[in-house]
Amino acid sequence: MINNNAYFETNHTYTFYEQQNSSAHHRRCIDGKITGCGNCVGYCQYKEHPGFLTEKLRTEHDCIGKGCYYYLPKPKNEKRPLKAAQISQSILNIVTEALAGYEGMRVLQADKCPSGGWQLKYVTITNEYHIPSIEKKLSACVGDVISMIRLNCDFEKAAQLIYAA
């Protein structure tokens, strides 16, 4: 397609037009109707009818099929890795509660293993606990395989990490 639209600027993106919109949640479509921002799939920069496009409007105008130069697709929202952090925190809460009776031991971090299960990084000021039995107990509580890795700290540093609020 030949660009004969003086209004068209190549440095603008869908996000630019979304930010220029006066309403945070409503968008004016190319047909003049107002729709919610969640219904929009793109933006048309053509000077004869600039505006947002719904799935129906994009299909009617065949923007993708024609390879329209003026069509800007709405960027896909990537899922945030926050969910993994929430799961790790949930595992830490379960493990902390299960280890409440073990004086002088604290789990600091829970990491999901690529091969499955969880790695728990812990500190302790004592060597009297049988770690394989604790791993078995925690595996039953969590419902997944647990392996524990001791972080090597001197006594003072370990005590600070264990008894810090």
Side-chain angles (χ1 to χ4, degrees):
M1 265 186 149
I2 298 172
N3 180 9
N4 60 2
N5 186 358
Y7 180 73
F8 180 76
E9 294 183 28
T10 58
N11 61 348
H12 290 171
T13 62
Y14 179 89
T15 308
F16 169 81
Y17 291 107
E18 201 169 42
Q19 290 169 350
Q20 297 292 51
N21 197 33
S22 60
S23 171
H25 302 290
H26 302 302
R27 305 286 183 262
R28 181 170 300 282
C29 293
I30 61 174
D31 60 358
K33 294 180 182 174
I34 304 292
T35 188
C37 60
N39 296 329
C40 297
V41 295
Y43 186 86
C44 182
Q45 302 175 77
Y46 188 60
K47 72 176 180 177
E48 299 297 322
H49 61 245
F52 290 91
L53 295 157
T54 61
E55 183 76 37
K56 182 181 175 190
L57 288 169
R58 183 177 68 183
T59 304
E60 285 175 8
H61 287 258
D62 194 25
C63 302
I64 295 174
K66 291 191 274 184
C68 183
Y69 189 70
Y70 304 107
Y71 173 72
L72 297 171
K74 182 177 184 177
K76 301 255 186 243
N77 290 335
E78 294 184 21
K79 294 188 179 186
R80 292 181 245 158
L82 185 63
K83 193 170 186 177
Q86 289 173 336
I87 294 170
S88 293
Q89 187 59 47
S90 173
I91 296 294
L92 273 176
N93 292 342
I94 293 168
V95 166
T96 301
E97 188 176 315
L99 292 177
Y102 292 87
E103 183 70 29
M105 176 185 272
R106 182 175 179 192
V107 175
L108 301 173
Q109 186 175 339
D111 297 319
K112 185 75 172 158
C113 297
S115 59
W118 290 87
Q119 281 187 340
L120 303 179
K121 295 180 181 169
Y122 73 99
V123 292
T124 185
I125 56 174
T126 181
N127 291 328
E128 66 184 50
Y129 298 124
H130 187 248
I131 299 303
S133 64
I134 294 174
E135 288 174 338
K136 211 179 249 188
K137 176 183 177 180
L138 294 177
S139 294
C141 289
V142 171
D144 206 348
V145 178
I146 298 289
S147 62
M148 296 179 70
I149 299 171
R150 183 176 180 171
L151 300 175
N152 293 324
C153 300
D154 63 0
F155 180 84
E156 288 180 24
K157 181 65 175 172
Q160 285 177 342
L161 291 170
I162 292 168
Y163 297 113

